[in-house]
Amino acid sequence: MGEIAVNIPEGESHAFPLGVTAGEALKGLVSSKVRKQTIAVRCNGAKLDLAANLSGDCVLEPITVDSPEAMEILRHSAAHIMALAVRQLYGPEVKVAIGPAIEDGFYYDFDRKEPFSPDEFEQIEAKMAEIIAARLPFVRSEMSVADAIDLFSAQGEVYKAELLREMETDTVSLYQQGDFVDLCRGPHLPDSSWLKAFKLLRVAGSYWRGDEKRPMLQRIYGTAFFDKKELARYLHQLEEAKKRDHRRLGKELELYTIQDQIGPGLILWQPKGALLRRLIEDYWKDEHYRHGYELLYTPHIARQDLWRTSGHLDFYGENMYSAMEIDEVKYQLKPMNCPFHIGVYKCRRHSYREFPIRWCELGTVYRYERAGALHGLMRVRGFTQDDAHIFCRPDQLDEEIYNILDLNLHILRTFGFDQYDIYLSTRPEKYVGSDEHWGMATEALKRALEKKELGYQVDPGEGVFYGPKIDIKIKDQLGRSWQCSTIQVDFNLPERFEMTYTGEDSREHQPIMIHRALMGSLERFVGVLIEHYAGAFPVWLAPEQARILNITDDQLSYCESVYTHLRKFGIRVEKDLRNEKLNYKIREAQMMKVPYMLVVGDREKEDGTITVRRRNGENLPPMTPQEFAEMVRTECNEALGLN
């Protein structure tokens, strides 16, 4: 029997028998303390189980419970344990589909005639606990695809068999726990006992392979951690997220509604929501004007040929709505605003002296989203994008990207977001344009990020079909990330639409086009704002800044005069003059997240004042309506940086 040389990074090489397991090799390479925390290894960079046999010289790196990859291995293993528990409880008539780890946990898709109920979670969790206590190992084996198809077909596992038939490989790996065999690449935990902190969360419908024409499966979601305290912290965060759910708060605060009669994914803004949206739009327009942008308005439909020229039909057609015929010509709803801005550009000739040209639009677009993907304001079918397009010369590209980043972060900070992750997305497999242009655009984005001293991660292959991009994911009060801002450099559309300008040399040149959205979808951004502030918006953004509350009917006339006075001063004020107890009206105003309650009794009426109460219960000294208006105005100006 031969020997192999094995070492850890920056460690001395040791000789081991050929075929030694990774776990056995680690005994001679790392301390027992490290081994007790090790769940898998990287062998020459490839992830392996501890039980894997080593077939040649290699460098082993322990994957410990605090390694970046560890949580995915734990949660993937938890999905297998849950599937085994379901099979043991409900029998082989329950068919299994896929069960991966996801960002915050794991899921498994099941085909079962009876619907799963959250009431059954306790039973499934108890069975999982039995499996964990049994310390069942994850046993890996390899098999030819043909034999694996026969194995799963014999078990009636039609979903596994279908996946296998589409694989372009000769062999596949399987994992077995007890009598449950699953198709999987691995690696997994050494055994089930490593799963110490887990919780099943919810069940949802999921079409097989995301196809609405295929069977509807039941997806059970769960989460898992190595530490029970981490699980408790996560579950607490979930409870906080439920309290902040924009769908519930949007209804309670009367901001928006979605109705089946109108159509799923189509938003109806109620008066308070429309006012909130107007506040956002007005601020957005003012900031853009101050930064050298001009406003455009463009149509909602265009001839189908426009989308063919732009490339959207070829690269984005599945997300567009079907064509409509008007005067024997096909038109389509717009999924993007960019071709319209190009149309404005092409209405006359341009000189190099005009650049940069900065145009912005709050343009409503329409994109097809599957019914199962729709989610309140976050995923809709019609939304307004805070779009802008900058046309510039090559020598202006770096500075324009830098300026966009500067404006972007300024606006996000104003709305209360100062934590974010930044990604540089590079060329995808399916793209248009030359490699030279892609390289120029990518390097320009890199230079702007580095000049701004912003840390970023490279997201390979996630650029759009016409160019690389910067994506900014903001973090809310709960630390959750939301995709909002994007900056994209495009050489392609100017070429497709034959855009030119007259250069200093009197020759025709092609401008560079930058696509840019800071908030992304207004609908989505409002949804994020609702959850970030739990509906309690800062005063400058609150649709209702104050509510007047009378104590008795004797103050009705004075309350009306206060109301009129504050409205003239631009305060967004409402009144509750019902014949109800004051505490009841205060409670209702607090439930509606109104920043200020203005209490009026006989003393206030006589003194010409109001008693001001904050929504957190703090009482301020009595003041005149004008003093209150000035206080609110100062607070708003400070938030907007106008003082």
Side-chain angles (χ1 to χ4, degrees):
M1 192 173 188
E3 289 187 340
I4 59 173
V6 183
N7 64 288
I8 59 173
E10 300 179 1
E12 293 184 5
S13 179
H14 291 253
F16 292 94
L18 180 66
V20 66
T21 67
E24 286 294 323
L26 284 181
K27 289 182 180 180
L29 297 170
V30 299
S31 67
S32 60
K33 182 179 179 180
V34 173
R35 291 202 310 277
K36 288 178 181 178
Q37 298 293 308
T38 300
I39 59 171
V41 296
R42 281 184 295 271
C43 177
N44 293 337
K47 289 181 284 189
L48 296 178
D49 302 297
L50 289 179
N53 299 109
L54 304 181
S55 58
D57 297 347
C58 62
V59 177
L60 287 185
E61 300 174 73
I63 298 177
T64 59
V65 295
D66 55 359
S67 298
E69 307 96 327
M71 200 64 78
E72 180 183 359
I73 294 171
L74 173 75
R75 290 169 173 170
H76 194 180
S77 300
H80 280 236
I81 293 171
M82 180 178 71
L84 172 58
V86 168
R87 288 290 295 272
Q88 288 184 353
L89 284 170
Y90 304 107
E93 62 271 16
V94 177
K95 307 304 177 188
V96 296
I98 58 173
I102 54 177
E103 183 177 358
D104 293 319
F106 61 89
Y107 69 78
Y108 217 114
D109 287 342
F110 300 97
D111 189 348
R112 182 190 181 209
K113 291 182 180 179
E114 301 80 11
F116 285 106
S117 164
D119 296 336
E120 295 175 273
F121 286 179
E122 186 175 340
Q123 188 179 11
I124 298 172
E125 289 173 345
K127 180 59 69 174
M128 291 175 69
E130 291 179 16
I131 296 167
I132 291 166
R135 303 178 67 92
L136 291 181
F138 288 85
V139 181
R140 186 179 190 275
S141 62
E142 291 190 357
M143 184 179 293
S144 71
V145 170
D147 288 343
I149 291 172
D150 290 342
L151 172 68
F152 286 109
S153 296
Q155 295 177 353
E157 295 291 2
V158 293
Y159 302 105
K160 301 292 184 185
E162 179 180 324
L163 292 173
L164 284 161
R165 290 189 185 96
E166 297 178 7
M167 289 186 176
E168 298 178 357
T169 184
D170 296 327
T171 61
V172 291
S173 59
L174 309 176
Y175 278 84
Q176 182 166 354
Q177 265 200 313
D179 59 357
F180 176 61
V181 180
D182 206 352
L183 174 67
C184 184
R185 287 193 299 267
H188 282 285
L189 299 171
D191 63 63
S192 57
S193 67
W194 283 81
L195 181 59
K196 293 179 170 58
F198 69 94
K199 183 70 177 175
L200 302 188
L201 301 173
R202 66 187 189 278
V203 62
S206 174
Y207 289 106
W208 170 235
R209 309 190 82 169
D211 187 343
E212 296 175 10
K213 298 178 181 178
R214 306 297 299 277
M216 171 68 81
L217 307 177
Q218 298 184 68
R219 177 171 293 178
I220 298 179
Y221 287 92
T223 192
F225 292 85
F226 286 103
D227 182 84
K228 290 184 178 180
K229 289 182 181 179
E230 287 296 317
L231 174 63
R233 188 178 295 114
Y234 177 75
L235 295 177
H236 173 72
Q237 187 182 55
L238 284 184
E239 287 303 312
E240 285 297 309
K242 286 181 183 178
K243 295 175 186 177
R244 294 168 178 263
D245 191 322
H246 76 280
R247 293 167 297 179
R248 179 178 66 82
L249 288 172
K251 181 177 181 181
E252 292 176 359
L253 301 180
E254 300 176 353
L255 299 175
Y256 76 96
T257 183
I258 301 172
Q259 297 180 3
D260 288 340
Q261 188 176 21
I262 305 297
L266 302 174
I267 305 301
L268 299 176
W269 293 97
Q270 295 171 262
K272 288 182 179 178
L275 181 51
L276 171 62
R277 176 170 166 159
R278 195 204 81 193
L279 292 168
I280 295 171
E281 291 181 358
D282 288 350
Y283 166 72
W284 184 91
K285 291 174 184 176
D286 290 343
E287 284 300 309
H288 280 73
Y289 182 78
R290 277 194 282 270
H291 285 79
Y293 286 78
E294 295 176 294
L295 189 65
L296 300 182
Y297 290 98
T298 60
H300 290 237
I301 63 172
R303 289 174 180 260
Q304 191 180 65
D305 286 346
L306 180 75
W307 308 113
R308 185 171 288 109
T309 300
S310 69
H312 286 98
L313 277 182
D314 293 331
F315 292 91
Y316 206 76
E318 70 275 9
N319 299 104
M320 296 176 65
Y321 284 99
S322 301
M324 62 189 87
E325 194 164 297
I326 303 173
D327 296 333
E328 299 182 354
V329 176
K330 289 185 176 180
Y331 286 75
Q332 283 186 270
L333 286 167
K334 66 175 177 179
M336 308 278 187
N337 298 302
C338 29
F340 295 95
H341 291 198
I342 292 172
V344 175
Y345 181 94
K346 293 194 69 174
C347 71
R348 65 175 179 83
R349 295 177 62 84
H350 296 274
S351 163
Y352 73 97
R353 296 178 184 273
E354 298 176 50
F355 292 123
I357 296 171
R358 305 184 186 107
W359 288 335
C360 63
E361 177 183 13
L362 292 166
T364 301
V365 298
Y366 303 88
R367 300 178 188 175
Y368 173 67
E369 293 280 358
R370 294 183 182 275
L374 298 174
H375 180 77
L377 292 170
M378 304 303 192
R379 294 293 290 270
V380 295
R381 288 175 170 169
F383 59 90
T384 300
Q385 196 166 29
D386 72 315
D387 228 341
H389 295 94
I390 294 92
F391 303 98
C392 65
R393 305 188 307 262
D395 61 291
Q396 298 170 322
L397 180 58
D398 286 25
E399 184 178 1
E400 285 306 302
I401 297 171
Y402 180 88
N403 290 340
I404 292 168
L405 285 169
D406 205 45
L407 174 61
N408 197 338
L409 299 183
H410 165 68
I411 287 179
L412 291 178
R413 281 193 297 268
T414 302
F415 283 107
F417 300 106
D418 54 13
Q419 298 293 321
Y420 33 75
D421 293 321
I422 300 177
Y423 298 86
L424 175 62
S425 301
T426 58
R427 188 177 64 200
E429 288 186 14
K430 193 176 181 182
Y431 68 94
V432 294
S434 69
D435 291 349
E436 179 186 3
H437 282 164
W438 274 87
M440 289 173 58
T442 304
E443 288 303 313
L445 293 172
K446 282 183 182 178
R447 286 192 297 270
L449 287 168
E450 290 164 2
K451 181 180 177 183
K452 190 70 180 167
E453 297 182 347
L454 295 172
Y456 65 92
Q457 302 175 48
V458 176
D459 202 358
E462 291 302 313
V464 287
F465 69 87
Y466 50 76
K469 61 176 180 169
I470 292 171
D471 286 324
I472 299 178
K473 295 184 179 181
I474 59 177
K475 291 188 176 182
D476 66 12
Q477 289 282 5
L478 297 182
R480 299 172 300 177
S481 293
W482 303 94
Q483 170 62 54
C484 286
S485 312
T486 186
I487 304 168
Q488 304 163 358
V489 178
D490 184 3
F491 288 86
N492 172 62
L493 284 183
E495 184 177 336
R496 280 176 174 261
F497 283 94
E498 299 179 346
M499 299 171 66
T500 61
Y501 67 91
T502 303
E504 193 172 6
D505 58 1
S506 299
R507 295 180 179 179
E508 294 299 299
H509 298 268
Q510 181 180 296
I512 299 172
M513 183 176 186
I514 305 173
H515 306 250
R516 186 236 69 188
L518 306 186
M519 296 181 293
S521 152
L522 262 184
E523 283 73 8
R524 180 181 175 83
F525 193 72
V526 170
V528 174
L529 282 173
I530 293 170
E531 300 205 2
H532 181 62
Y533 289 111
F537 300 111
V539 175
W540 79 271
L541 201 52
E544 182 181 351
Q545 295 173 318
R547 184 176 295 186
I548 302 170
L549 311 175
N550 65 316
I551 296 177
T552 69
D553 286 351
D554 292 339
Q555 300 95 42
L556 289 178
S557 177
Y558 179 64
C559 287
E560 291 288 357
S561 68
V562 171
Y563 174 80
T564 301
H565 186 80
L566 291 178
R567 283 239 164 180
K568 286 182 179 179
F569 270 90
I571 304 301
R572 298 186 292 277
V573 62
E574 300 295 339
K575 54 193 175 183
D576 184 351
L577 307 181
R578 295 174 298 166
N579 186 20
E580 297 283 357
K581 291 182 179 180
L582 178 63
N583 285 342
Y584 176 80
K585 293 195 282 190
I586 288 175
R587 175 62 178 161
E588 280 210 342
Q590 287 176 322
M591 293 291 290
M592 293 299 289
K593 318 288 188 181
V594 180
Y596 291 106
M597 284 142 272
L598 311 181
V599 179
V600 175
D602 286 338
R603 186 173 62 182
E604 287 81 10
K605 175 183 174 183
E606 292 172 7
D607 296 343
T609 61
I610 51 179
T611 293
V612 180
R613 177 189 177 97
R614 296 186 191 274
R615 61 185 161 206
N616 64 3
E618 177 188 1
N619 288 312
L620 302 181
M623 60 185 75
T624 66
Q626 185 166 344
E627 288 172 335
F628 174 74
E630 291 297 335
M631 183 186 76
V632 171
R633 184 179 296 170
T634 299
E635 188 174 349
C636 293
N637 287 343
E638 287 177 352
L640 295 172
L642 299 179
N643 283 348

